Amino acid sequence: MTDETGARSRPPTHTAWRWALIGLAVAGFAAAFGYVAGWLAPGRLTPHRLVNAVAANGGEHAGFRRNHAKGVCVAGRFEASGALAGFSTAPLFAAGTSTPVVGRFAVPGSNPYAADSSVPIRSLALRFDLPDGEQWRTGMNAMAMFPVATPQAFYALQLATHADPATGKPDPAKTKAFFESHPETAPFLAWVKTAKPSASYASETYRSINAFYLRDAAGDRHAVRWAMVPEQPAEGDGGPAAGDTDYLAADLGKRLAAGPLRWHLQMVFAVPGDAVDDATRAWPDDRRMVDAGTLVLTSSQPQADGPCRDVNYDPTILPRGIETSDDPLLAARSATYADSYLRRTSEEAHVPGTKHPGEDKR
Amino acid sequence: MSRSDTFHPFARVLHWLMALMILTMLFVGAGMVSTVETKHDWLLAIHKPLGITIFVLALIRLGFRLTHPAPPLPVDMPLWQKLAAHASHWLLYALMIALPLIGWGMLSAGNYPVTLGGGLLLPPILPSDPLVFAWLREAHRYLAWLFFLTFLAHMGAALMHGLIRRDGVLQSMTGGRTPD
């Protein structure tokens, strides 16, 4: 063994090379970190860029969600039928189980002041609070399929439909070019032509759009999508009065004052060959459906101080017994919802560099 | 096997094991928040249980370090380097313990279930509060960057000891014999 003085007794040779080696090691680690973090990968589609692109279409509104910004909180419970218990170990599906639910109805888009009739789509997000602390969060939309299959195509769609500053409207040539180069959008375009803005949240069918897997007690998994199918029939009375832009929340409050609203959680099972990783392709109507139970909504609250305000409805937050599929949109939803959640909570917290809520104009 | 110029073997095992885990953790964290690809999901699934493991190991390591002093630094080291060595070591300990706690606290305040995979669930350590979430989330980011910078300085200094000064400081952690 050599003592410390002995170790230093011989000065090192090739000192310049030794310093260079040290510098290389430090720079190498720094560069690798910079690449992974995205600073040295300017072309990467980050959650931040994607959220910027979505929010740009409806304007940045501090304190609000960057998409589905206009909405209303609801509360209630989910009463399991027990019919799904054989397909998923998630405790909320066991017969007779009642699980509290905090939910949110909303209108797509980043503008919290948009007219309810501005989009023919409504959404329903739910958080099921299981007794052991587990949660199931889901964000569903009242549409048959998603326009695009990947986050990259979704980003391109946002850019192609940005309002032209000169006209205030999307450039038709850019929009046309996008849809022509993305044939997977055809089913959505055909569907949306027939879609009309509904007069009520209560009469819509909300779908998971993305596929998931149920895991049963034997360990087998089953590819599914789900739909919340309303008990309430669609109204035939022509809908809201002309000029009313906020009828959805008012209609919901009026209905809930008269009694609970109910939906059935219909679990739709794929057969081999059905697209499990592609949200642009709806499954045929004849797929096996299992009625997992009844969603009973009993009250609504304004989102400004309601219990849904601080919930990030990340659809990848799942209890045991439900798992994500390989649908690439799911990870993108998780990553971008987290970014949106941090933005609006930072704005509420007045973190330096953020806009304060209320500074934005309608 | 407890020479006064090397760290205890248990300390050395913990050091290299945790070095690997912490580096992995920093890269996983930086990667998962900068991608919308499916790797976001599995990186996140690694991040939480790995963070808790680092937290537990850091507490064990801190307890061991407090009861088993480190070998003394070479007497001829300039004072500023000694101070920097001590300060950076305690900063590393503080970050090893603080970052997982902040991550856990931030998920609690953000009203997220703190899942570790396989149905394993940690209780919330803070009440639900979006403002607390936002501050902790920002702290988690900037302290992680500080952690990475401290790691770079630590590694650079260790290599400087091993390659330039050749004073046995690097060998005190690698356990190899000092050059003779």
Side-chain angles (χ1 to χ4, degrees):
Chain A
M1 187 175 83
T2 313
D3 65 17
E4 288 160 1
T5 27
R8 286 189 311 279
S9 59
R10 228 175 30 173
T13 51
H14 307 298
T15 316
W17 284 108
R18 288 164 185 266
W19 278 115
L21 196 66
I22 296 170
L24 202 67
V26 171
F29 269 106
F33 192 77
Y35 174 76
V36 169
W39 302 314
L40 299 179
R44 187 182 308 160
L45 178 57
T46 62
H48 202 74
R49 274 177 78 188
L50 188 47
V51 173
N52 280 348
V54 171
N57 275 347
E60 288 267 351
H61 297 275
F64 286 95
R65 285 164 211 266
R66 291 317 198 253
N67 198 2
H68 297 249
K70 185 182 192 182
V72 57
C73 296
V74 286
R77 61 189 185 273
F78 174 73
E79 294 171 346
S81 67
L84 202 66
F87 300 97
S88 169
T89 54
L92 83 160
F93 296 129
T97 306
S98 177
T99 305
V101 167
V102 172
R104 184 172 180 272
F105 286 108
V107 179
S110 67
N111 181 3
Y113 311 111
D116 288 342
S117 57
S118 60
V119 213
I121 297 165
R122 281 76 176 89
S123 65
L124 171 60
L126 297 172
R127 188 190 77 201
F128 302 74
D129 293 310
L130 281 63
D132 64 354
E134 281 196 295
Q135 297 180 3
W136 178 24
R137 301 189 186 188
T138 175
M140 299 168 288
N141 284 281
M143 56 189 189
M145 72 289 288
F146 205 66
V148 289
T150 65
Q152 286 75 18
F154 187 66
Y155 179 68
L157 171 64
Q158 302 307 311
L159 298 188
T161 53
H162 270 180
D164 187 326
T167 62
K169 287 198 164 76
D171 178 349
K174 267 166 84 179
T175 308
K176 186 162 174 273
F178 172 84
F179 286 118
E180 278 175 356
S181 62
H182 286 270
E184 78 275 19
T185 55
F188 177 82
L189 290 178
W191 172 82
V192 81
K193 257 187 209 151
T194 66
K196 290 189 180 58
S198 77
S200 176
Y201 284 130
S203 55
E204 293 282 272
T205 295
Y206 300 91
R207 299 173 193 278
S208 68
I209 314 281
N210 305 115
F212 292 78
Y213 288 108
L214 301 181
R215 181 79 65 174
D216 65 28
D220 293 329
R221 63 179 199 180
H222 312 272
V224 293
R225 287 173 175 166
W226 55 81
M228 279 288 182
V229 182
E231 278 190 5
Q232 300 75 227
E235 292 281 306
D237 62 1
D244 184 357
T245 57
D246 299 310
Y247 49 84
L248 286 171
D251 168 83
L252 184 70
K254 208 171 69 188
R255 286 170 182 260
L256 285 169
L261 297 169
R262 289 186 169 81
W263 282 259
H264 288 266
L265 174 57
Q266 297 285 358
M267 218 32 99
V268 185
F269 286 74
V271 302
D274 283 344
V276 176
D277 58 357
D278 186 347
T280 66
R281 290 156 67 192
W283 297 341
D285 289 333
D286 61 357
R287 294 293 176 261
R288 176 184 184 185
M289 289 210 291
V290 171
D291 186 342
T294 311
L295 172 70
V296 185
L297 295 182
T298 51
S299 67
S300 71
Q301 303 83 24
Q303 65 168 346
D305 53 3
C308 74
R309 185 192 65 184
D310 302 326
V311 182
N312 164 7
Y313 287 99
D314 176 343
T316 66
I317 296 178
L318 303 164
R320 274 165 304 159
I322 311 178
E323 297 165 15
T324 53
S325 69
D326 292 330
D327 186 332
L329 290 175
L330 281 172
R333 288 177 73 181
S334 177
T336 51
Y337 290 19
D339 185 270
S340 165
Y341 186 62
L342 176 58
R343 288 192 200 201
R344 62 194 181 91
T345 53
S346 300
E347 288 155 356
E348 293 287 346
H350 294 189
V351 169
T354 61
K355 253 190 349 174
H356 293 186
E359 281 180 6
D360 62 309
K361 293 192 293 281
R362 284 181 180 226
Chain B
M1 225 2 236
S2 60
R3 300 185 314 211
S4 65
D5 62 345
T6 53
F7 280 90
H8 189 281
F10 182 65
R12 298 205 303 264
V13 167
L14 267 185
H15 170 274
W16 291 107
L17 177 67
M18 290 188 69
L20 194 70
M21 294 170 85
I22 290 167
L23 261 186
T24 304
M25 192 64 178
L26 290 168
F27 277 89
V28 163
M32 75 187 195
V33 296
S34 65
T35 182
V36 296
E37 310 277 325
T38 45
K39 52 178 166 282
H40 167 85
D41 282 357
W42 59 260
L43 288 173
L44 188 62
I46 294 172
H47 195 79
K48 288 186 276 185
L50 185 56
I52 285 299
T53 310
I54 290 171
F55 175 66
V56 171
L57 289 178
L59 291 180
I60 293 171
R61 191 168 163 196
L62 179 66
F64 192 81
R65 173 73 175 72
L66 291 173
T67 49
H68 298 73
L73 290 167
V75 283
D76 68 334
M77 246 173 89
L79 180 66
W80 74 268
Q81 287 188 13
K82 282 188 179 170
L83 288 177
H86 289 302
S88 62
H89 284 143
W90 290 116
L91 180 60
L92 286 169
Y93 272 104
L95 290 170
M96 276 180 237
I97 292 167
L99 266 176
L101 269 183
I102 291 173
W104 187 356
M106 130 201 153
L107 290 178
S108 308
N111 198 14
Y112 291 99
V114 188
T115 49
L116 299 183
L120 215 61
L121 208 66
L122 290 179
I125 53 171
L126 285 177
S128 167
D129 184 331
L131 309 190
V132 173
F133 166 82
W135 283 110
L136 291 180
R137 175 65 187 80
E138 293 295 348
H140 199 68
R141 177 210 313 266
Y142 291 110
L143 289 177
W145 291 353
L146 177 65
F147 205 163
F148 187 73
L149 289 175
T150 316
F151 153 73
L152 287 183
H154 179 77
M155 182 189 68
L159 289 175
M160 189 271 287
H161 280 287
L163 293 174
I164 308 289
R165 284 181 54 95
R166 303 206 292 178
D167 55 7
V169 169
L170 179 59
Q171 284 78 10
S172 72
M173 189 50 90
T174 58
R177 290 178 64 83
T178 52
D180 48 24

